[in-house]
Amino acid sequence: MSSRMFKFGVTATSAAVGSVLAAWSLDHWNTPRVVNNAAVAPPKRKRTLPMRSEQIKSLMSGEEFDVLIIGGGATGAGCALDSVTRGLKTALVELDDFASGTSSRSTKLIHGGVRYLQKAILGLDLEQYRMVKEALQERATMLESAPHLTHPLPIMLPVYTWWQVPYYWVGIKAYDLVAGDRNVKSSYYLSKKDALELFPMLKKDKLCGAIVYYDGQQDDARMCLAVALTAARHGATVCNHVEVKELLKKDDGSGKQVLCGAKVKDHISGKEFTVKAKCVVNAAGPFTDSIRKMDNPTVKSICCPSSGVHIVLPGYYSPDQMGLLDPSTSDGRVIFFLPWQRQTIAGTTDLPCEITHSPIPTEDEIQFILKEIKNYLNADVEVRRGDVLSAWSGIRPLVSDPNKDDTQSLARNHIVHVSPSNLITIAGGKWTTYRAMAEHTIDAAIKACNLKPEREEAVTSYLKIEGGQGWTPTMYIRLVQDFGLECEVAQHLAKSYGDRAFAVSKMASLTGKRWPIIGNRIHPEFPYIDAEIRYGVREYACSAIDMIARRLRLAFLNVQAAQEALPVIVDIMAEELHWSKEEKERQIKAATEFLANEMGHSVNRTSKERIPIKLSKEEIQTYIKRFQLIDKDKKGYVSINDIRRGLKTFGEGDVSGEQLHEILREIDTNMNGQVELDEYLQMMSAIKTGDVAYSRFARMAELEEQKQEAASLKQKISVDRSGGGL
C-alpha cells in the first residue's frame, strides 16, 4: 500500500513539475502584443460630469456619431471608453442601468483562472493558455487603473491529502510564472498550524497544509459605473434607461445595406427618437442574440446562458483578508468563499437557464452552496440557512463562435464578429478582460466601418478610472479631519469614490451631534450616508433600484437592511428628482419587488414557511406564555399596536411605522398584517434549527417575559419577609 502511494506521489509530483515546464514553453510561444503608448499624448478629461438631461439632449441632437454602443455592462462601458479616448465621437445606450445585468452579479474577483490554467497545461491547449495569459495581464492593469475599487486578495487552497501538496504548489507556482512581471504577489505554502492561524474557521481534521495565492477583488457594479463615467468625462454620450427598438440601415453606394443608427426610446421621459451612427457595436451580454436578430432575423443564436448564484453570509464566516477556494465540489465546479464589504460572499453554481432581465436565485442553488462550504468549515461554525443575508443569480453569457463553421463548440475566450451589414458583436469573455475585449472590438470597428480615429491604438491600458487619479490608501484620514466624518464612513467613501469622495462629503448634512459632525447614515448597520443618495443622482441613478443595487451595494449585502432603508432613500431621491407622492410609492413598490425576486428576499421567506415546528412540549408552553404576554387584549393575535407598545416598554421610544411593519413582515408569513401563534412557534423553531438567524419580535417577546417575572418577584417579597425594611 505504501509503495503504491509512493508511486502515486511521484507521479503527481512529476506531473506538477511537467506543468511548470509546459507553462514555460507556452509562455515563449505567446509573446503578448506590446502597444507603444509612450508617444501618444493622453487625452484630457472634462472637469465636470454632464447631467443626464445633457446626455439625452446630445443623443437627440441629430448629429452623427462615429460609434453607437448597445449595452452598458463592463464590455459596453469599456468599448465607450476605448472609442472616445481614440478620438471617435461615441454614444452608449443601456436598456436598464449600467451594470444592471451580469456585470453587477459576479464573484467580484479579478482573476486569470487557476482551473483554466490547469486544463491548458495538462491538455496542452494553447488557446486556453493564451486566455489565462491575457487575463493575468489585464488583472494587473485593472489593479493599477482603479486602485480605490480594487485590491489584491490572498486566497487559500486547503489540502487534505499529502500527495496533493506538491501538486497544487507547483500548479500555483505555474500561475505566478504565467503572470510574469505582472504578478500581484507570490504564492506560498502554509503548514497546518499556520493555515489555521490565518483561517481559524477552517476544518482541521486531516488538514495537511494549504497553498495561498493572490488574485484581485473589486466592487464590480461601481467599477463598471466608474468606467462609464470616465468615458463621459472624456466626451462620450452615455445614457442608461434607453432602449434600442430598431436598427436602421442604408445603401452604402455599392448596393450593400449597412447599419447607420438606431431608433431608441428613453424610458424616463417616454420619448422615441433616432440616433445616427457610422458604426453600431453590440455589447449586450446575455441579450446579444436579440440585437443580432434585429440586424438579421434569420441569424442563428450563439448565446448559451448559464446561471451562477451567489449568497452573502455574515462577516464572521471568514477572516477579513483571506479567501478560500474549494477546487473540487460535488458537481465539479470551483466554489469561492471570500470576504467582501465586511461580509462573506460564496458561490457560484453553474446551471443552464433561460435568458431573462430578472434572474432569480432558487432554494436548491442556495442549499447547494451551503452544503459545499460546510465541508471546509469546522464544527464551531454552524452553517445556517437563516444566515443568508442576500442571494442573487447572474447569467453567464457563454457563446459559440459565429466566425467558425462548428457553431456547437463554445468559445472559451471572447469573440468579435462583423456581420454583412457591419454590426460589430462582442460576446463571451469575462469581467477581468473587459479592457482587452473593448480594444479588440474597436480595432474591428475601425477596420470594418472605415472610421478615422485621432489615435490608431488604444490608450486605455494606462488611463486611471474615475476616482483613481488622486487616491491614496490614507486619503480617508483627510476626510475625517477635514469634514468630521466617522472613520468607517470615511474609509467607505474613499474606497467607493476615490478622489471624488471629497465631492460626496461636501453634500453631506449635519448630524447635530458633537461627533460625527456630518454624514447621517441611511441604515445604522452600514456606512452609507445621505450624501451618497444625492451624489448618486448625479451619477445617473434614475430609480430606487439603481441606488440600492448599484450606486450603493446594500441590496447585495443585506436584503432586509435594503428594505428598511428604502423609505429614506426614496425621500432623498424625491427631493433631487422632484418625484410626486405617487411616484415615490411606485418606486418603493418596484424596489420591494426587486429585493423579493432578484435579491433572494422571497426565497428566504419561502424557506421559513417550509420549516416544520420542532419544539419540545416545554418550549411550546414557554413560547405560548410569551405570546400571551404581548397579546394583552387577548385577541388571539399580535397587532402593530402590540409591537409598538412592547418596544416602548423597553426604551425604544417612538418607532416609525415603516420599522414596525418591517418587524411584522419578518414573522408574518401568511401576509395578513398580524402575528398568529402558529407563526410565532414556527419562527422560534426556525431559530432553534438555524434556518433563521435572529428575530426582533422573538427578542421582544423574551424581554416581555423577563419583565413580567421581575415584576412578579417584587410582589412576592413582602415587607415582613424582607425584614421590615430598614
Side-chain angles (χ1 to χ4, degrees):
M1 178 65 182
S2 60
S3 175
R4 191 190 314 170
M5 289 300 294
F6 176 76
K7 290 178 181 178
F8 190 64
V10 170
T11 303
T13 305
S14 301
V17 173
S19 72
V20 173
L21 294 175
W24 181 84
S25 301
L26 286 167
D27 199 46
H28 282 69
W29 297 344
N30 180 34
T31 303
R33 182 163 64 104
V34 178
V35 179
N36 181 19
N37 287 322
V40 183
K44 294 182 179 180
R45 67 181 72 208
K46 296 180 180 179
R47 290 181 62 86
T48 58
L49 190 68
M51 296 183 68
R52 186 180 185 278
S53 58
E54 296 174 53
Q55 299 283 45
I56 291 292
K57 186 177 179 181
S58 171
L59 210 59
M60 296 176 66
S61 65
E63 295 182 23
E64 186 178 44
F65 290 91
D66 291 317
V67 179
L68 171 62
I69 298 156
I70 304 171
T75 307
C79 286
L81 181 58
D82 188 292
S83 174
V84 74
T85 51
R86 294 199 204 196
L88 295 170
K89 188 174 176 61
T90 305
L92 178 150
V93 293
E94 159 60 40
L95 168 63
D96 194 347
D97 185 27
F98 304 112
S100 58
T102 307
S103 295
S104 64
R105 301 166 193 244
S106 74
T107 312
K108 324 302 179 196
L109 280 179
I110 311 167
H111 65 118
V114 173
R115 188 178 61 160
Y116 295 136
L117 179 62
Q118 180 190 29
K119 290 181 178 179
I121 292 174
L122 296 180
L124 290 178
D125 188 331
L126 184 59
E127 181 184 350
Q128 192 151 216
Y129 168 78
R130 285 174 173 162
M131 178 182 73
V132 176
K133 175 77 174 178
E134 179 184 59
L136 289 172
Q137 299 293 311
E138 291 301 317
R139 178 186 69 178
T141 300
M142 281 186 73
L143 289 167
E144 292 166 2
S145 66
H148 57 304
L149 291 169
T150 64
H151 62 272
L153 179 70
I155 301 174
M156 183 180 291
L157 198 164
V159 184
Y160 288 91
T161 308
W162 67 266
W163 64 263
Q164 288 183 325
V165 173
Y167 181 80
Y168 283 137
W169 183 83
V170 179
I172 293 297
K173 282 299 177 185
Y175 193 61
D176 292 350
L177 180 65
V178 173
D181 61 356
R182 306 302 305 278
N183 195 28
V184 178
K185 289 184 181 181
S186 294
S187 58
Y188 55 90
Y189 168 75
L190 285 173
S191 66
K192 175 180 178 178
K193 178 182 176 182
D194 291 339
L196 291 172
E197 185 177 333
L198 286 175
F199 205 117
M201 304 83 174
L202 202 60
K203 184 172 70 175
K204 59 184 177 182
D205 297 342
K206 299 182 181 180
L207 181 67
C208 300
I211 313 294
V212 174
Y213 72 97
Y214 283 82
D215 264 328
Q217 190 177 49
Q218 65 167 338
D219 183 341
D220 52 1
R222 285 215 62 88
M223 182 71 178
C224 179
L225 177 64
V227 173
L229 296 177
T230 308
R233 284 195 188 273
H234 279 94
T237 299
V238 298
C239 298
N240 55 351
H241 299 285
V242 174
E243 179 184 5
V244 172
K245 306 291 285 186
E246 180 185 348
L247 296 178
L248 304 177
K249 296 181 180 179
K250 69 176 182 180
D251 193 314
D252 68 349
S254 64
K256 179 183 176 182
Q257 291 290 307
V258 296
L259 294 176
C260 62
K263 286 184 179 178
V264 302
K265 179 179 180 179
D266 175 15
H267 282 287
I268 303 303
S269 66
K271 294 180 180 178
E272 294 191 19
F273 50 92
T274 298
V275 180
K276 299 177 183 177
K278 298 174 185 176
C279 175
V280 178
V281 172
N282 173 15
F287 303 96
T288 294
D289 285 326
S290 63
I291 302 300
R292 293 177 73 240
K293 289 181 180 181
M294 282 187 190
D295 176 42
N296 178 5
T298 64
V299 74
K300 291 183 179 179
S301 297
I302 62 170
C303 192
C304 182
S306 170
S307 166
V309 168
H310 293 83
I311 64 174
V312 170
L313 298 164
Y316 55 72
Y317 270 82
S318 65
D320 289 339
Q321 285 300 322
M322 180 67 73
L324 184 73
L325 168 64
D326 178 356
S328 54
T329 63
S330 57
D331 74 345
R333 181 165 183 82
V334 167
I335 275 192
F336 288 97
F337 191 64
L338 310 167
W340 184 66
Q341 303 269 335
R342 304 194 179 196
Q343 310 293 349
T344 301
I345 184 174
T348 175
T349 59
D350 188 12
L351 293 170
C353 67
E354 297 295 324
I355 296 176
T356 172
H357 287 284
S358 305
I360 298 172
T362 67
E363 182 64 22
D364 288 344
E365 289 172 301
I366 293 171
Q367 290 292 349
F368 167 76
I369 297 172
L370 291 173
K371 178 184 174 184
E372 294 298 332
I373 63 178
K374 278 181 184 178
N375 297 330
Y376 279 86
L377 300 180
N378 66 43
D380 288 338
V381 184
E382 184 184 354
V383 180
R384 307 182 303 181
R385 176 62 181 83
D387 283 336
V388 177
L389 304 175
S390 184
W392 68 87
S393 174
I395 298 177
R396 192 178 294 106
L398 302 175
V399 292
S400 54
D401 192 342
N403 299 307
K404 297 180 180 179
D405 294 334
D406 179 15
T407 57
Q408 297 303 312
S409 59
L410 294 179
R412 299 187 186 98
N413 210 339
H414 63 268
I415 56 101
V416 178
H417 177 256
V418 182
S419 76
S421 61
N422 289 347
L423 175 65
I424 315 296
T425 294
I426 170 67
K430 60 182 180 179
W431 228 122
T432 307
T433 57
Y434 87 93
R435 193 210 63 82
M437 292 166 64
E439 181 179 335
H440 301 159
T441 304
I442 301 304
D443 284 344
I446 290 170
K447 182 179 178 181
C449 301
N450 196 28
L451 303 177
K452 305 297 180 184
E454 294 175 10
R455 303 170 185 83
E456 288 292 333
E457 296 180 335
V459 297
T460 50
S461 61
Y462 63 89
L463 277 181
K464 291 288 186 187
I465 303 303
E466 173 90 351
Q469 296 87 355
W471 180 86
T472 65
T474 55
M475 192 189 80
Y476 74 93
I477 297 173
R478 288 172 52 200
L479 294 173
V480 175
Q481 293 175 336
D482 294 353
F483 293 96
L485 288 162
E486 287 180 79
C487 188
E488 184 186 3
V489 170
Q491 288 175 323
H492 154 67
L493 294 179
K495 288 178 181 177
S496 296
Y497 301 91
D499 60 16
R500 303 304 303 165
F502 293 94
V504 179
S505 300
K506 289 176 182 177
M507 304 175 75
S509 59
L510 292 168
T511 63
K513 303 175 184 177
R514 184 186 64 80
W515 189 266
I517 298 170
I518 65 167
N520 288 297
R521 295 192 183 213
I522 61 171
H523 192 282
E525 297 172 23
F526 292 88
Y528 302 120
I529 59 171
D530 54 352
E532 294 181 77
I533 314 301
R534 302 188 190 281
Y535 192 80
V537 172
R538 288 152 181 79
E539 291 182 325
Y540 308 139
C542 300
S543 70
I545 298 173
D546 293 352
M547 193 65 69
I548 61 174
R550 278 135 348 226
R551 302 310 180 280
L552 314 178
R553 302 315 307 274
L554 196 51
F556 283 81
L557 291 169
N558 189 316
V559 68
Q560 182 65 37
Q563 184 72 55
E564 291 166 3
L566 258 182
V568 175
I569 291 171
V570 169
D571 283 345
I572 297 174
M573 291 189 75
E575 292 176 18
E576 295 289 325
L577 294 169
H578 310 294
W579 287 343
S580 64
K581 181 182 177 182
E582 292 72 24
E583 178 62 18
K584 287 170 64 176
E585 291 172 353
R586 192 186 72 81
Q587 289 288 335
I588 288 178
K589 181 181 177 183
T592 299
E593 290 175 358
F594 168 80
L595 292 171
N597 298 324
E598 297 184 49
M599 292 291 110
H601 208 181
S602 62
V603 75
N604 283 355
R605 179 179 291 279
T606 302
S607 71
K608 295 176 189 176
E609 293 172 357
R610 296 192 305 200
I611 298 166
I613 296 176
K614 295 181 179 179
L615 298 170
S616 66
K617 289 183 179 179
E618 292 77 12
E619 288 171 329
I620 290 174
Q621 290 303 315
T622 297
Y623 298 140
I624 289 175
K625 177 183 175 184
R626 290 180 185 176
F627 186 85
Q628 291 172 344
L629 287 172
I630 298 176
D631 178 21
K632 295 186 183 298
D633 301 328
K634 310 302 179 188
K635 304 180 296 299
Y637 63 87
V638 173
S639 66
I640 281 282
N641 288 332
D642 293 322
I643 296 173
R644 180 186 288 110
R645 182 170 52 205
L647 291 174
K648 280 188 176 181
T649 302
F650 304 112
E652 294 289 338
D654 291 329
V655 182
S656 71
E658 187 59 34
Q659 288 175 308
L660 290 169
H661 282 286
E662 285 303 326
I663 294 171
L664 181 64
R665 277 195 288 264
E666 285 180 3
I667 193 169
D668 181 20
T669 54
N670 60 19
M671 307 296 286
N672 64 353
Q674 58 195 33
V675 179
E676 293 163 0
L677 177 60
D678 62 331
E679 291 173 317
Y680 176 53
L681 293 176
Q682 189 176 52
M683 171 65 75
M684 298 314 299
S685 179
I687 291 174
K688 179 182 177 181
T689 59
D691 290 288
V692 172
Y694 181 78
S695 165
R696 287 171 289 185
F697 183 91
R699 179 59 178 158
M700 184 183 72
E702 183 182 356
L703 291 173
E704 182 69 42
E705 182 185 38
Q706 292 174 6
K707 175 194 163 190
Q708 292 294 328
E709 287 178 352
S712 176
L713 186 62
K714 286 182 181 179
Q715 290 175 0
K716 287 179 181 178
I717 302 176
S718 66
V719 173
D720 293 337
R721 288 182 60 191
S722 65
L726 295 175

